Amino acid sequence: MSYNLTRREFLKDLGLLGAGVTLAPVAAQGETFESFVERSDPGWKPGPAVRPAWVKTIDKPTTEIDWDKKQRWDERNTAFNFPKYFGDERLKKLQTIQAENTARYLKEGRPGYTLKDLALMAGANLRAFANVSGLEFPFLGPDVLTPEKRGAPKFTASPEEAAKIVATALRFYGAGSVGFVELDPKTTQKLIFSHDGDGKMIEFADVEQPQETKEKRIIPNKCRYAIVFTVQMSVETQKRAPTPTGAATTYIGYEFGGLIQTRIQAFLKSLGYHAPGEYSRNALGLSVGLGVMAGLGELARFNRLLTPEYGPTVRVFKLLTDLPLAPTKPIDAGFVQFCKVCKKCADACPSKAVSFDDEPSWQVRGEYNSVGHKAWFDDAVKCRAYWFEAGTGCAACFAACPFATKDKATFHQLVKFVSSNAPGLGGVVRSLDDLLYGAPGVGGKPIKDPNEWWSLDMPEYGIDTAKGKRDV
Amino acid sequence: MMWLILGLVIGVAGWWIFDWAKAHQIKVMWYEWLLEAIALLFALFAIQNFFASFEELEPNAAWVLLALFGVPALILAGVAGFLIWRRHKSVNRIAQP
């Protein structure tokens, strides 16, 4: 006997099946039904975008920190202080090698080093190459029409509401994920440099407004809220590292960071608050440390921030304000555990500057590493020396990371879910990643052909702004 | 939209198979439905990753993922189909001495 559905039953079943299959990708992306519903709620929470269930919020970061040992660090200790670590003679030699290699690669027509690649990099790094003014990171921020000048009271809101509007404004200005850290002199304030790279002391004082003199940058004690944000880089471009083509996304990321900082400074000052920021790239404080404390990501093997939304393909920026902002918590997405077994970035590093140790350590590799936390410290001097050899920045470690993906294939969500819940399988994931996306290139060979980059039809800035699941 | 269309196609196909089995008095055990459902999930995962990987400009990953999840989908669907066919065949043999 045949069983016949009525038209009503047929349409009902069809609707149920359709809904089920339509919602299936939501589950496949690792989202809980709750987070899916929350995302469509206009009253979303501040801070990083609503995240899938595999990203857990925790009280203490996955990086162990000994706050007693941690002291405010002098930015002049970073390996960017070339004369300190290389000495004048070696630095001169490295600069000669850089010029010679770049000229030779250009002459050979080496992929990623042709004239158009060098031109691309120059356009992405205006401030460094053309000394164009107006793109600097201003410590004090631009002059704006403050509420006082308008004869209006300054903006007031609860810390949660204020965090929400700051995150919304930052996203509009071009930031990726956004987080907040409340500075405490005994702990998190130690992530602010003692001195900036130009030698100016950064001093916290009981003053009304931030000031800058020839010797120091003075930050009012009341500016104890750090705003930390990421700027997305182009995954497709990053895969061309280490070449000028690959470096273009790094440089343009920094340029965007400067512009976004200036804009959010104008926004905060227009609300009636102070907003001292970075005077230059990577200034003011430890970007990665603040990113970890704000829950934007975890400290990965290659000693940089690894984020759930964008993987390693971000640049991290920060500024301070006296507008009270609700802090966001650190996260555990399983990255640190995953990094213990993966080691793909270490294999990819052309100068072998990334650690191969199984476990992170308290032991620093040199004065260029800041003490007081457990990490896979990199040999930053070896790393920077390679930059001269390559004629540009490197970032081969960023490009090789299995989390440097575009997240269109649900397989990536499966990988992230597995990494978070069964990090011991990192070795399997690494092997699979090699099979699918290629093993790291030998001697700094890019994962993807830089020549092919020029025939791509990429989205604006080469990034996917729908990543991070915000309202559009 | 792709998922909605795919959902409708699966809905129609599922209903048709169910109706066809009933009409031909083919009994399908619960574990055979389960095998078919798992096979369907694998197939959907393979299809999504195949097209999405091309979108990501990763053709190698597209083909490997299609094989990685598509082959198990075919095997599971084949096993379920074989079990149904074998039982149906033996039932017919008993019914027609």
Side-chain angles (χ1 to χ4, degrees), chain A residues 84-338:
Chain A
K84 174 171 177 164
Y85 294 107
F86 296 124
D88 289 340
E89 204 174 311
R90 191 173 168 216
L91 182 59
K92 213 173 263 178
K93 206 173 167 188
L94 284 169
Q95 284 164 340
T96 309
I97 289 171
Q98 180 175 28
E100 284 173 358
N101 282 358
T102 308
R104 195 174 75 246
Y105 298 157
L106 173 65
K107 208 171 167 186
E108 289 169 358
R110 188 169 168 154
Y113 287 86
T114 64
L115 194 61
K116 61 181 186 289
D117 298 300
L118 295 171
L120 181 82
M121 185 171 72
N125 201 14
L126 277 179
R127 207 168 64 91
F129 285 93
N131 198 21
V132 173
S133 60
L135 293 176
E136 292 88 347
F137 289 75
F139 169 69
L140 295 171
D143 285 331
V144 297
L145 210 52
T146 60
E148 198 180 12
K149 286 179 194 167
R150 291 180 193 270
K154 67 182 189 179
F155 171 84
T156 51
S158 68
E160 288 75 20
E161 181 64 18
K164 188 179 137 184
I165 68 134
V166 169
T168 306
L170 268 169
R171 288 280 292 182
F172 179 71
Y173 293 147
S177 46
V178 182
F180 307 102
V181 180
E182 186 168 354
L183 298 186
D184 176 341
K186 287 182 182 161
T187 56
T188 44
Q189 194 163 302
K190 293 179 180 179
L191 299 174
I192 302 298
F193 291 140
S194 63
H195 293 77
D196 264 328
D198 60 357
K200 287 191 184 183
M201 182 196 279
I202 300 178
E203 188 181 286
F204 283 89
D206 275 324
V207 292
E208 190 45 42
Q209 54 188 27
Q211 294 157 35
E212 183 167 9
T213 67
K214 277 185 181 171
E215 291 83 29
K216 53 174 98 167
R217 296 190 170 90
I218 303 165
I219 297 169
N221 279 325
K222 63 181 179 177
C223 288
R224 63 174 202 273
Y225 304 95
I227 301 167
V228 197
F229 62 93
T230 58
V231 169
Q232 215 189 133
M233 293 193 290
S234 162
V235 175
E236 199 55 37
T237 313
Q238 188 82 89
K239 297 278 180 190
R240 271 75 186 179
T243 62
T245 324
T249 194
T250 301
Y251 293 136
I252 208 163
Y254 277 120
E255 295 289 342
F256 285 145
L259 286 171
I260 294 166
Q261 177 187 301
T262 313
R263 285 174 175 147
I264 201 69
Q265 283 176 311
F267 176 79
L268 289 163
K269 289 174 86 173
S270 299
L271 292 177
Y273 294 89
H274 301 298
E278 299 180 60
Y279 90 93
S280 175
R281 296 173 188 186
N282 294 315
L284 188 66
L286 294 160
S287 306
V288 180
L290 285 162
V292 166
M293 294 310 294
L296 298 186
E298 290 181 65
L299 181 59
R301 171 176 291 277
F302 57 101
N303 216 12
R304 304 288 185 280
L305 195 71
L306 188 50
T307 72
E309 291 80 14
Y310 316 111
T313 49
V314 291
R315 293 288 149 192
V316 189
F317 304 88
K318 61 275 171 191
L319 71 157
L320 304 176
T321 184
D322 52 341
L323 170 64
L325 297 164
T328 45
K329 283 185 171 186
I331 57 159
D332 180 359
F335 291 148
V336 168
Q337 294 300 323
F338 180 87

